Amino acid sequence: MHGYGVAQRLKIVSDDVLQVGESSLYPALQRLLLKGWVKAAWGASENNRRARYYTLAPSGRKQLATERKEFDRLIVAIHKVLNTA
């Protein structure tokens, strides 16, 4: 999906908790491109404007799995700390 679509998807899926602005989103997408974790191609948006569409690359899927494991480990640690208070 294109950058604006990514931001809208995050907002909708998180019930408006996660709201990513353009000043954060596009530099992050550029870093992901440079690392080879996403691929991008130009296309036409829903309103027929030129837009860059992003897809997760195989190396990005691998990195996502690694990040998810680390995030899950962090969440477990936080729950342990909160439950001992």
Side-chain angles (χ1 to χ4, degrees):
M1 76 183 41
H2 54 74
Y4 179 76
V6 170
Q8 291 303 109
R9 177 85 172 137
L10 288 171
K11 184 177 176 184
I12 291 168
V13 170
S14 71
D15 295 325
D16 292 336
V17 174
L18 301 177
Q19 297 185 28
V20 181
E22 289 181 33
S23 61
S24 299
L25 178 65
Y26 291 105
L29 287 169
Q30 188 61 35
R31 285 191 301 274
L32 294 173
L33 275 169
L34 291 173
K35 291 181 179 186
W37 294 343
V38 296
K39 295 178 181 180
W42 290 100
S45 68
E46 300 80 27
N47 57 4
N48 211 25
R49 292 186 180 192
R50 188 170 182 235
R52 200 168 191 189
Y53 285 82
Y54 300 88
T55 56
L56 199 54
S59 60
R61 290 189 190 284
K62 184 177 179 182
Q63 184 63 29
L64 178 59
T66 299
E67 296 289 340
R68 278 184 175 166
K69 286 178 187 174
E70 183 58 27
F71 186 75
D72 289 343
R73 197 172 76 89
L74 179 62
I75 293 299
V76 168
I78 291 170
H79 278 285
K80 286 180 180 180
V81 169
L82 291 176
N83 288 331
T84 61

